[in-house]
Amino acid sequence: MNGHSIYTFKFSEMYKLYLAKVERKGRNADELNEVICWLTGLQMKKF
């Protein structure tokens, strides 16, 4: 399991890929952030 490529990705790299995918499907970054927060239990800080 340690050799799987998903473990070598940084979150910032994965976020860009997910963002591109959700935008292709007609969604936006706010919706992606909402899902990520729901999955992780973390809260986004708005600046």
Side-chain angles (χ1 to χ4, degrees), residues 29-44:
D30 289 334
E31 292 171 310
L32 174 60
N33 293 339
E34 184 177 341
V35 170
I36 291 172
C37 290
W38 179 78
L39 286 171
T40 62
L42 301 174
Q43 294 180 349
M44 294 287 291

PDB file of all heavy atoms in Angstrom, residues 29-44:
ATOM      1  N   ALA A  29     -15.536  26.332  -6.912  1.00  0.00           N
ATOM      2  CA  ALA A  29     -14.589  26.080  -5.830  1.00  0.00           C
ATOM      3  C   ALA A  29     -15.268  26.086  -4.465  1.00  0.00           C
ATOM      4  O   ALA A  29     -14.882  25.322  -3.580  1.00  0.00           O
ATOM      5  CB  ALA A  29     -13.465  27.106  -5.867  1.00  0.00           C
ATOM      6  N   ASP A  30     -16.283  26.924  -4.291  1.00  0.00           N
ATOM      7  CA  ASP A  30     -16.980  26.961  -3.001  1.00  0.00           C
ATOM      8  C   ASP A  30     -17.643  25.621  -2.687  1.00  0.00           C
ATOM      9  O   ASP A  30     -17.615  25.156  -1.545  1.00  0.00           O
ATOM     10  CB  ASP A  30     -18.027  28.075  -2.984  1.00  0.00           C
ATOM     11  CG  ASP A  30     -17.398  29.456  -2.936  1.00  0.00           C
ATOM     12  OD1 ASP A  30     -16.261  29.571  -2.439  1.00  0.00           O
ATOM     13  OD2 ASP A  30     -18.050  30.405  -3.389  1.00  0.00           O
ATOM     14  N   GLU A  31     -18.216  25.012  -3.705  1.00  0.00           N
ATOM     15  CA  GLU A  31     -18.847  23.708  -3.501  1.00  0.00           C
ATOM     16  C   GLU A  31     -17.805  22.636  -3.204  1.00  0.00           C
ATOM     17  O   GLU A  31     -18.027  21.765  -2.349  1.00  0.00           O
ATOM     18  CB  GLU A  31     -19.672  23.331  -4.728  1.00  0.00           C
ATOM     19  CG  GLU A  31     -20.889  24.221  -4.903  1.00  0.00           C
ATOM     20  CD  GLU A  31     -21.589  23.998  -6.212  1.00  0.00           C
ATOM     21  OE1 GLU A  31     -20.921  24.009  -7.268  1.00  0.00           O
ATOM     22  OE2 GLU A  31     -22.819  23.810  -6.179  1.00  0.00           O
ATOM     23  N   LEU A  32     -16.673  22.695  -3.873  1.00  0.00           N
ATOM     24  CA  LEU A  32     -15.588  21.757  -3.596  1.00  0.00           C
ATOM     25  C   LEU A  32     -15.091  21.928  -2.169  1.00  0.00           C
ATOM     26  O   LEU A  32     -14.912  20.949  -1.444  1.00  0.00           O
ATOM     27  CB  LEU A  32     -14.437  21.956  -4.583  1.00  0.00           C
ATOM     28  CG  LEU A  32     -13.179  21.126  -4.325  1.00  0.00           C
ATOM     29  CD1 LEU A  32     -13.482  19.632  -4.377  1.00  0.00           C
ATOM     30  CD2 LEU A  32     -12.094  21.503  -5.311  1.00  0.00           C
ATOM     31  N   ASN A  33     -14.907  23.170  -1.744  1.00  0.00           N
ATOM     32  CA  ASN A  33     -14.436  23.435  -0.388  1.00  0.00           C
ATOM     33  C   ASN A  33     -15.432  22.921   0.650  1.00  0.00           C
ATOM     34  O   ASN A  33     -15.030  22.392   1.688  1.00  0.00           O
ATOM     35  CB  ASN A  33     -14.193  24.926  -0.186  1.00  0.00           C
ATOM     36  CG  ASN A  33     -13.034  25.425  -1.018  1.00  0.00           C
ATOM     37  OD1 ASN A  33     -12.188  24.657  -1.442  1.00  0.00           O
ATOM     38  ND2 ASN A  33     -13.023  26.712  -1.276  1.00  0.00           N
ATOM     39  N   GLU A  34     -16.707  23.067   0.367  1.00  0.00           N
ATOM     40  CA  GLU A  34     -17.743  22.580   1.284  1.00  0.00           C
ATOM     41  C   GLU A  34     -17.651  21.060   1.450  1.00  0.00           C
ATOM     42  O   GLU A  34     -17.747  20.534   2.567  1.00  0.00           O
ATOM     43  CB  GLU A  34     -19.120  22.973   0.755  1.00  0.00           C
ATOM     44  CG  GLU A  34     -20.252  22.610   1.674  1.00  0.00           C
ATOM     45  CD  GLU A  34     -21.594  23.075   1.137  1.00  0.00           C
ATOM     46  OE1 GLU A  34     -21.631  23.968   0.264  1.00  0.00           O
ATOM     47  OE2 GLU A  34     -22.607  22.523   1.593  1.00  0.00           O
ATOM     48  N   VAL A  35     -17.442  20.359   0.351  1.00  0.00           N
ATOM     49  CA  VAL A  35     -17.331  18.901   0.405  1.00  0.00           C
ATOM     50  C   VAL A  35     -16.065  18.489   1.149  1.00  0.00           C
ATOM     51  O   VAL A  35     -16.097  17.584   1.990  1.00  0.00           O
ATOM     52  CB  VAL A  35     -17.350  18.299  -1.017  1.00  0.00           C
ATOM     53  CG1 VAL A  35     -16.994  16.824  -0.994  1.00  0.00           C
ATOM     54  CG2 VAL A  35     -18.704  18.522  -1.658  1.00  0.00           C
ATOM     55  N   ILE A  36     -14.957  19.152   0.879  1.00  0.00           N
ATOM     56  CA  ILE A  36     -13.698  18.829   1.565  1.00  0.00           C
ATOM     57  C   ILE A  36     -13.839  19.056   3.063  1.00  0.00           C
ATOM     58  O   ILE A  36     -13.391  18.230   3.867  1.00  0.00           O
ATOM     59  CB  ILE A  36     -12.526  19.637   0.971  1.00  0.00           C
ATOM     60  CG1 ILE A  36     -12.225  19.139  -0.443  1.00  0.00           C
ATOM     61  CG2 ILE A  36     -11.291  19.524   1.862  1.00  0.00           C
ATOM     62  CD1 ILE A  36     -11.232  19.979  -1.205  1.00  0.00           C
ATOM     63  N   CYS A  37     -14.465  20.144   3.449  1.00  0.00           N
ATOM     64  CA  CYS A  37     -14.676  20.421   4.877  1.00  0.00           C
ATOM     65  C   CYS A  37     -15.568  19.365   5.507  1.00  0.00           C
ATOM     66  O   CYS A  37     -15.326  18.917   6.627  1.00  0.00           O
ATOM     67  CB  CYS A  37     -15.277  21.807   5.070  1.00  0.00           C
ATOM     68  SG  CYS A  37     -14.142  23.134   4.700  1.00  0.00           S
ATOM     69  N   TRP A  38     -16.604  18.958   4.794  1.00  0.00           N
ATOM     70  CA  TRP A  38     -17.504  17.935   5.311  1.00  0.00           C
ATOM     71  C   TRP A  38     -16.769  16.604   5.492  1.00  0.00           C
ATOM     72  O   TRP A  38     -16.924  15.933   6.509  1.00  0.00           O
ATOM     73  CB  TRP A  38     -18.684  17.772   4.362  1.00  0.00           C
ATOM     74  CG  TRP A  38     -19.654  16.726   4.805  1.00  0.00           C
ATOM     75  CD1 TRP A  38     -20.591  16.841   5.780  1.00  0.00           C
ATOM     76  CD2 TRP A  38     -19.766  15.404   4.283  1.00  0.00           C
ATOM     77  NE1 TRP A  38     -21.287  15.659   5.890  1.00  0.00           N
ATOM     78  CE2 TRP A  38     -20.804  14.754   4.988  1.00  0.00           C
ATOM     79  CE3 TRP A  38     -19.090  14.705   3.277  1.00  0.00           C
ATOM     80  CZ2 TRP A  38     -21.177  13.455   4.726  1.00  0.00           C
ATOM     81  CZ3 TRP A  38     -19.469  13.404   3.026  1.00  0.00           C
ATOM     82  CH2 TRP A  38     -20.494  12.791   3.747  1.00  0.00           C
ATOM     83  N   LEU A  39     -15.936  16.241   4.514  1.00  0.00           N
ATOM     84  CA  LEU A  39     -15.213  14.970   4.583  1.00  0.00           C
ATOM     85  C   LEU A  39     -14.156  14.971   5.684  1.00  0.00           C
ATOM     86  O   LEU A  39     -13.957  13.954   6.349  1.00  0.00           O
ATOM     87  CB  LEU A  39     -14.546  14.663   3.245  1.00  0.00           C
ATOM     88  CG  LEU A  39     -15.464  14.219   2.118  1.00  0.00           C
ATOM     89  CD1 LEU A  39     -14.695  14.169   0.804  1.00  0.00           C
ATOM     90  CD2 LEU A  39     -16.072  12.877   2.432  1.00  0.00           C
ATOM     91  N   THR A  40     -13.460  16.083   5.855  1.00  0.00           N
ATOM     92  CA  THR A  40     -12.341  16.119   6.797  1.00  0.00           C
ATOM     93  C   THR A  40     -12.742  16.581   8.174  1.00  0.00           C
ATOM     94  O   THR A  40     -12.014  16.341   9.141  1.00  0.00           O
ATOM     95  CB  THR A  40     -11.231  17.048   6.281  1.00  0.00           C
ATOM     96  OG1 THR A  40     -11.754  18.375   6.173  1.00  0.00           O
ATOM     97  CG2 THR A  40     -10.683  16.582   4.947  1.00  0.00           C
ATOM     98  N   GLY A  41     -13.856  17.283   8.281  1.00  0.00           N
ATOM     99  CA  GLY A  41     -14.271  17.823   9.565  1.00  0.00           C
ATOM    100  C   GLY A  41     -13.557  19.121   9.920  1.00  0.00           C
ATOM    101  O   GLY A  41     -13.703  19.637  11.007  1.00  0.00           O
ATOM    102  N   LEU A  42     -12.784  19.649   8.979  1.00  0.00           N
ATOM    103  CA  LEU A  42     -12.075  20.909   9.196  1.00  0.00           C
ATOM    104  C   LEU A  42     -12.908  22.067   8.689  1.00  0.00           C
ATOM    105  O   LEU A  42     -13.842  21.882   7.911  1.00  0.00           O
ATOM    106  CB  LEU A  42     -10.725  20.876   8.467  1.00  0.00           C
ATOM    107  CG  LEU A  42      -9.774  19.765   8.884  1.00  0.00           C
ATOM    108  CD1 LEU A  42      -8.551  19.774   7.985  1.00  0.00           C
ATOM    109  CD2 LEU A  42      -9.364  19.937  10.329  1.00  0.00           C
ATOM    110  N   GLN A  43     -12.552  23.282   9.095  1.00  0.00           N
ATOM    111  CA  GLN A  43     -13.253  24.473   8.635  1.00  0.00           C
ATOM    112  C   GLN A  43     -12.307  25.322   7.825  1.00  0.00           C
ATOM    113  O   GLN A  43     -11.139  25.475   8.164  1.00  0.00           O
ATOM    114  CB  GLN A  43     -13.782  25.280   9.813  1.00  0.00           C
ATOM    115  CG  GLN A  43     -14.851  24.562  10.592  1.00  0.00           C
ATOM    116  CD  GLN A  43     -15.350  25.398  11.735  1.00  0.00           C
ATOM    117  OE1 GLN A  43     -14.777  26.428  12.077  1.00  0.00           O
ATOM    118  NE2 GLN A  43     -16.421  24.955  12.362  1.00  0.00           N
ATOM    119  N   MET A  44     -12.823  25.887   6.739  1.00  0.00           N
ATOM    120  CA  MET A  44     -12.029  26.792   5.905  1.00  0.00           C
ATOM    121  C   MET A  44     -11.999  28.153   6.561  1.00  0.00           C
ATOM    122  O   MET A  44     -13.007  28.631   7.081  1.00  0.00           O
ATOM    123  CB  MET A  44     -12.643  26.937   4.513  1.00  0.00           C
ATOM    124  CG  MET A  44     -12.627  25.690   3.684  1.00  0.00           C
ATOM    125  SD  MET A  44     -11.000  25.260   3.066  1.00  0.00           S
ATOM    126  CE  MET A  44     -10.736  26.560   1.892  1.00  0.00           C
TER     127      MET A  44
END
